[in-house]
């Protein structure tokens, strides 16, 4: 089955979806992306992703080629054309095609690509069982708040995790956990949720923001501050958040079992609240 992919204003079969070898996304990783989840054929947290996209583009001095409503229409059209019930929509915008130079070209038109990935996300064995993570040094650049397509280090981290028999890696800098390779990291101690504060050190996760909002509304205590790897290993619970994994418990960090090695009540409850509420608000 061939997907219909959006490339620069056109909907084409995936075999025909092509960009230039001179695209700055290909040559310099000069591009940004978003991943929006689809459940029941509707978009979860669309406005959060659209707002962060504008922020990433602005930080890189790129104009937004599409307004929020145009972007929404393309997402919906891809859902329709691909009969997508559950999965993700990947969106990438690069600075466009230009002869290879380090300076930004002045007249390049941005390249805009979106495609669907059908995938079961809600009934997840990883969520039921919990996942194991290893710790690795955070060797990424210092503007992790910009959602760029330069994902090689996170890829290396994920490979190291798989080779070690784990599911993912948590990155550590100066003793403090920054985040997972493709998710935000959180711990729970004495009923209190502890999660790293926003800065250039981490991606400002859309799921993180929504989950913390629901947690506070449910009268849970939330503390936004850096936490160490040792603190994480002594926590009652640990979990990650991202658009495609929602809230997923972490039951092992390196060789240390967390919460007796089974998913804990806070992560379970947050996953339920997150799925219930965002499904109601999906568009
Ligand atoms: N941190 C990193 C490094 C990520 O790649 C992601 C997901 N792309 C996240 C956090 C989670 O962000 P979101 O909740 O917006 O998916």
């Amino acid at each position: 089955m061939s997907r219909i992919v959006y490339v620069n204003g056109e909907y084409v079969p995936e075999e025909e979806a092509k960009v230039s070898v001179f695209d700055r996304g290909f040559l310099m990783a000069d591009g940004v992306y978003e991943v929006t989840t689809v459940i029941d054929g509707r978009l979860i947290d669309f406005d959060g992703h659209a707002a962060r996209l504008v922020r990433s583009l602005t930080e890189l001095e790129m104009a937004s080629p599409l307004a929020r409503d145009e972007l929404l229409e393309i997402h919906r059209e891809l859902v329709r054309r691909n009969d997508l019930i559950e999965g993700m929509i990947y969106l990438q915008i690069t600075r466009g095609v230009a002869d290879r130079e380090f300076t930004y070209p002045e007249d390049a038109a941005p390249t805009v690509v979106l495609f669907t990935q059908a995938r079961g996300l809600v009934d997840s064995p990883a969520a039921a069982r919990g996942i194991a993570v290893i710790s690795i040094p955070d060797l990424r650049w210092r503007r992790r708040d910009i959602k760029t397509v330069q994902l090689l280090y996170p890829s290396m981290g994920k490979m190291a995790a798989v080779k070690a028999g784990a599911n993912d890696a948590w990155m550590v800098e100066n003793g403090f956990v920054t985040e997972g390779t493709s998710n935000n990291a959180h711990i729970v101690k004495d009923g209190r949720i502890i999660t790293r504060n926003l800065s250039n050190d981490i991606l400002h996760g859309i799921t993180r923001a929504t989950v913390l909002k629901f947690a506070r509304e449910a009268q849970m205590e939330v503390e936004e501050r850096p936490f160490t790897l040792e603190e994480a290993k002594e926590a009652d619970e640990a979990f990650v958040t991202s658009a495609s994994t929602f809230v997923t418990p972490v039951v092992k960090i390196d060789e240390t079992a967390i919460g007796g090695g089974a998913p804990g009540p806070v992560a379970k409850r947050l996953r339920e609240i997150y799925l219930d509420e965002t499904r109601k608000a999906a568009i």
Side-chain angles (χ1 to χ4, degrees):
M1 194 199 81
S2 167
R3 279 172 289 192
I4 297 296
V5 171
Y6 176 94
V7 187
N8 292 327
E10 292 189 63
Y11 294 90
V12 295
E14 63 179 71
E15 298 77 16
E16 291 166 32
K18 303 227 161 74
V19 296
S20 164
V21 295
F22 293 102
D23 195 279
R24 284 179 62 94
F26 177 63
L27 293 178
M28 337 241 349
D30 187 359
V32 301
Y33 76 106
E34 282 296 331
V35 178
T36 304
T37 284
V38 172
I39 307 179
D40 313 321
R42 294 195 299 158
L43 300 156
I44 302 289
D45 251 336
F46 174 80
D47 279 297
H49 292 282
R52 185 175 59 191
L53 175 66
V54 171
R55 183 182 182 279
S56 293
L57 290 167
T58 306
E59 291 298 312
L60 296 177
E61 298 174 43
M62 283 193 236
S64 296
L66 295 159
R68 180 249 179 218
D69 290 354
E70 295 169 308
L71 214 51
L72 177 58
E73 189 41 45
I74 297 167
H75 278 76
R76 286 179 161 163
E77 188 63 24
L78 279 178
V79 168
R80 273 195 291 273
R81 289 188 187 229
N82 293 288
D83 298 320
L84 185 62
I85 306 297
E86 195 166 316
M88 293 104 81
I89 300 187
Y90 176 86
L91 156 107
Q92 178 169 331
I93 300 180
T94 77
R95 202 179 301 275
V97 176
D99 198 14
R100 188 177 178 277
E101 288 284 355
F102 280 80
T103 50
Y104 300 163
E106 268 166 28
D107 47 4
T111 300
V112 183
V113 171
L114 287 90
F115 57 80
T116 54
Q117 290 184 291
R119 197 170 292 176
L121 300 171
V122 176
D123 288 322
S124 145
R129 260 196 321 262
I131 62 166
V133 302
I134 58 165
S135 60
I136 58 170
D138 196 337
L139 301 180
R140 297 174 299 163
W141 78 330
R142 305 306 303 269
R143 288 306 306 274
R144 302 156 193 160
D145 56 311
I146 309 174
K147 197 165 168 65
T148 76
V149 297
Q150 40 166 339
L151 295 176
L152 191 51
Y153 189 68
S155 235
M156 290 167 74
K158 194 82 107 177
M159 287 308 297
V162 171
K163 280 182 193 151
N167 306 97
D168 203 353
W170 277 15
M171 294 178 280
V172 179
E173 192 168 56
N174 303 324
F176 293 94
V177 175
T178 51
E179 57 189 329
T181 59
S182 59
N183 42 59
N184 289 113
H186 316 259
I187 58 173
V188 181
K189 188 73 182 174
D190 300 327
R192 178 191 288 251
I193 299 160
I194 302 163
T195 194
R196 194 174 176 111
N197 51 296
L198 296 182
S199 71
N200 293 353
D201 297 337
I202 60 168
L203 186 76
H204 301 187
I206 301 307
T207 318
R208 173 192 180 282
T210 304
V211 165
L212 295 186
K213 180 174 85 97
F214 291 144
R216 288 183 170 114
E217 283 171 9
Q219 313 300 325
M220 298 182 188
E221 273 186 77
V222 179
E223 202 178 326
E224 294 185 64
R225 62 161 174 85
F227 58 87
T228 64
L229 186 62
E230 282 62 44
E231 206 178 348
K233 288 180 182 176
E234 284 161 15
D236 301 327
E237 291 184 41
F239 62 92
V240 293
T241 56
S242 79
S244 58
T245 64
F246 318 123
V247 176
T248 296
V250 171
V251 294
K252 196 176 170 202
I253 304 175
D254 294 326
E255 293 312 314
T256 308
I258 311 299
V266 174
K268 271 191 203 160
R269 178 151 177 242
L270 286 174
R271 184 180 175 93
E272 274 171 24
I273 299 176
Y274 178 81
L275 279 169
D276 284 353
E277 295 300 321
T278 56
R279 284 171 97 155
K280 274 189 234 155
I283 60 174

